[in-house]
Amino acid sequence: MADNAGQNGQAQDDLRGTDVTEDRADAAAAAEDAPGTGGHAVDGPAGDGGTAAGDDAPAADDTAADGAADGSAPDDGPEAGAAPDVVDRARKAAGTVADSARKAAGALGQETVSGWSAMRAVSQAKRAHGEAADRLAELKATIEEDSRTLAHRREVEETYDELVARQTAALEAARRAQRDLSDRIAAAEAEVGAREGDLEELKARNERDLRPYKNLADSSKSTADDAARTLSEAKKAAKTADGAVRDLTKRRDSRVATANKAADNARQRLTRLQSEISSMQRDPDADPKQLSSMKAEATAEMARLSRAQDDAKAAPGEAAPAIEAAEAHLADARKVLEGAEREADSAKKEAKKRARDLDREQERAKAAEADAEDLLIEAQKQVRTLKQDLAAQQEAESQAQATLDEAADIVAHPEETGALADRVADNSAAAERQEIHVQTLADTERDLRQRTLRSRVAFILVVVAAVIVLAVLFMAFSA
């Protein structure tokens, strides 16, 4: 602690001697206040009072411990001898913790004041150094800008006649170029108008020329659609006629097959009856009535057989007229279908041809319009380029005129050039003094950092130690 106080006192003496400018005085005052306060605070009344309070604390703790021991000691029993030992250990532990806390508090108070003051002094010195450096940078920037302006003014004064001649020539050249460009722009805009008219006229002519092709294409397509519908109806009619022929033929064949089947069944029954009748005729014991009945049934079967045979023979002849008529209708329908197919195919080919013709003419018209649009775009691009050149010449005229005006003003006011030269000289001298001042503050800051290093490190360590002690106390009392 004595070493830290000595270092702070030495830093204080050094800062008292650096009184060149107001910034340096502020940094020295901060360093002077911080270490001095830290040195005296350790030995002041506040420290004594803290010590006194710390000395009284163990006595109070001992009294409380004795009272607790006296009040809690039992009159008799097996634990009477162990209780005083527990109380003594608790009293010693409390005294040790309190003594540690008292010592840590004293060290914390001394190091906190001294270290905090040292850190504040370093911060103030750093701030003063930084502000002075910023002012120096601003001053140098002003000098650089003024120097460029001064050099420009002197150059104008030295080469005024040459500059006026050069800029006057540039001014006249820009004006001539503007007149030429204005004429060219007018001609280019007229060409744009002509190209636009040509394009509109071409579109109208193409639309007029394409109209017959479009009408033929539409008409042929409509004819092809009608032929396709006629073909579809013819196909349906032919299909219906073919179905009618098939149906009539099927019904004829079915009738013939049914009649033949009936004749076969009647023939089989008749053969069976005739065999039974023959057997009964050979049997002398046969019943005459039953024989008569079977003969009558055989006669009926012969009649059914005859009808079935007649129906099988008559069915083809009876169905023939209807079938022939249906076949004739089918033949007519097929002829109509063949004609519809030829018409549909021809109409379809014609529609495709007309569509190709229309596509060809449309492509030709589009190509011609694209060429005309390219010419129009090129003319418009030429107008834009000329206008950009005109704007550039107008800017050149403005710059030349501005240069002439500025040169005339500089030559008319030489006193401003002299004043600017004086200001540059003054600022340069001020910058040299400011550089010395900045270096002085930098040396002061560096010296202060070196001399207060131990105090600042001690301050940080004391704070850390105090935190550790408080944590130990908290855990001890919590346990």
Side-chain angles (χ1 to χ4, degrees):
M1 294 303 299
D3 292 341
N4 292 338
Q7 293 174 2
N8 294 335
Q10 183 61 42
Q12 176 181 352
D13 294 340
D14 292 340
L15 287 173
R16 286 197 188 99
T18 57
D19 194 17
V20 179
T21 63
E22 183 179 354
D23 292 332
R24 185 178 177 188
D26 292 341
E32 178 181 344
D33 294 340
T37 304
H40 292 296
V42 177
D43 299 331
D48 295 338
T51 303
D55 293 340
D56 292 341
D61 293 339
D62 293 341
T63 304
D66 292 340
D70 294 339
S72 61
D75 293 338
D76 51 7
E79 297 179 356
D85 293 337
V86 174
V87 172
D88 289 341
R89 285 197 298 271
R91 185 184 300 113
K92 290 179 180 178
T96 300
V97 171
D99 185 57
S100 298
R102 182 173 63 253
K103 292 179 180 179
L108 179 63
Q110 295 174 0
E111 294 299 337
T112 298
V113 174
S114 177
W116 172 253
S117 298
M119 294 183 73
R120 185 177 62 180
V122 170
S123 176
Q124 291 176 349
K126 178 182 178 182
R127 182 169 61 253
H129 178 207
E131 291 174 354
D134 291 341
R135 284 195 292 274
L136 177 59
E138 293 174 358
L139 190 58
K140 286 183 177 181
T142 302
I143 293 171
E144 183 179 359
E145 182 178 358
D146 290 345
S147 297
R148 286 196 300 268
T149 304
L150 178 61
H152 173 67
R153 292 180 70 90
R154 287 175 175 172
E155 182 183 5
V156 170
E157 290 175 347
E158 293 172 357
T159 62
Y160 178 72
D161 295 336
E162 181 183 353
L163 183 147
V164 169
R166 185 172 62 253
Q167 294 302 322
T168 301
L171 185 65
E172 292 300 327
R175 289 172 179 172
R176 287 194 303 271
Q178 290 178 47
R179 289 191 295 270
D180 179 64
L181 287 170
S182 297
D183 295 339
R184 293 173 62 188
I185 288 173
E189 288 178 342
E191 184 179 359
V192 169
R195 296 298 183 187
E196 290 176 346
D198 293 343
L199 179 59
E200 294 299 326
E201 182 180 355
L202 177 62
K203 288 182 177 179
R205 184 169 62 252
N206 287 337
E207 184 178 0
R208 185 173 60 254
D209 294 342
L210 288 173
R211 191 175 296 115
Y213 290 95
K214 189 174 186 302
N215 291 336
L216 287 174
D218 292 342
S219 176
S220 60
K221 185 177 184 303
S222 177
T223 301
D225 292 341
D226 292 340
R229 284 192 292 270
T230 301
L231 176 61
S232 178
E233 294 297 330
K235 287 181 178 180
K236 291 180 181 179
K239 185 177 181 180
T240 302
D242 184 67
V245 172
R246 291 176 181 275
D247 184 59
L248 289 173
T249 303
K250 183 178 180 180
R251 280 187 289 176
R252 182 199 63 186
D253 294 342
S254 177
R255 179 180 174 186
V256 171
T258 300
N260 289 331
K261 181 67 175 176
D264 292 340
N265 292 336
R267 188 178 294 107
Q268 290 177 0
R269 287 193 298 272
L270 179 60
T271 300
R272 187 175 59 256
L273 288 172
Q274 288 175 348
S275 176
E276 290 179 355
I277 290 172
S278 297
S279 298
M280 291 181 68
Q281 286 175 350
R282 289 192 299 270
D283 186 3
D285 296 330
D287 187 358
K289 291 183 179 181
Q290 187 177 3
L291 179 61
S292 176
S293 175
M294 292 183 67
K295 287 181 178 181
E297 186 176 354
T299 302
E301 284 296 333
M302 291 178 64
R304 284 195 288 273
L305 174 61
S306 178
R307 286 196 301 274
Q309 290 174 345
D310 293 341
D311 188 49
K313 293 178 181 180
E318 294 176 355
I323 292 175
E324 291 175 357
E327 289 177 344
H329 181 66
L330 175 59
D332 294 339
R334 285 176 175 173
K335 290 180 180 180
V336 172
L337 177 60
E338 292 175 358
E341 287 177 343
R342 288 193 298 271
E343 291 294 331
D345 184 62
S346 176
K348 186 176 181 180
K349 291 179 179 179
E350 181 67 16
K352 287 183 177 180
K353 179 179 179 301
R354 297 301 180 182
R356 286 194 299 270
D357 293 342
L358 177 61
D359 291 340
R360 183 185 65 252
E361 293 301 319
Q362 286 179 337
E363 290 297 327
R364 180 195 59 77
K366 288 181 180 179
E369 291 176 4
D371 293 339
E373 289 178 351
D374 291 340
L375 294 176
L376 174 60
I377 292 172
E378 187 63 28
Q380 292 172 341
K381 186 184 299 183
Q382 181 66 18
V383 171
R384 288 195 297 271
T385 301
L386 292 173
K387 287 183 176 181
Q388 291 173 357
D389 294 341
L390 178 61
Q393 292 300 327
Q394 290 172 344
E395 178 64 21
E397 179 188 4
S398 299
Q399 291 180 355
Q401 187 63 53
T403 302
L404 288 172
D405 294 341
E406 181 193 23
D409 182 73
I410 290 174
V411 173
H413 300 87
E415 69 280 2
E416 293 184 4
T417 303
L420 182 60
D422 294 340
R423 186 163 67 248
V424 170
D426 293 340
N427 287 337
S428 298
E432 293 178 358
R433 294 192 298 271
Q434 186 68 13
E435 285 182 350
I436 296 173
H437 176 48
V438 170
Q439 186 60 43
T440 301
L441 290 177
D443 294 341
T444 301
E445 179 187 354
R446 183 174 60 256
D447 183 67
L448 183 60
R449 287 181 180 276
Q450 292 175 353
R451 293 182 178 278
T452 61
L453 177 61
R454 294 183 60 185
S455 296
R456 289 182 287 119
V457 172
F459 169 73
I460 296 173
L461 294 177
V462 166
V463 172
V464 173
V467 172
I468 294 174
V469 169
L470 291 175
V472 171
L473 288 173
F474 176 78
M475 290 187 293
F477 284 108
S478 297

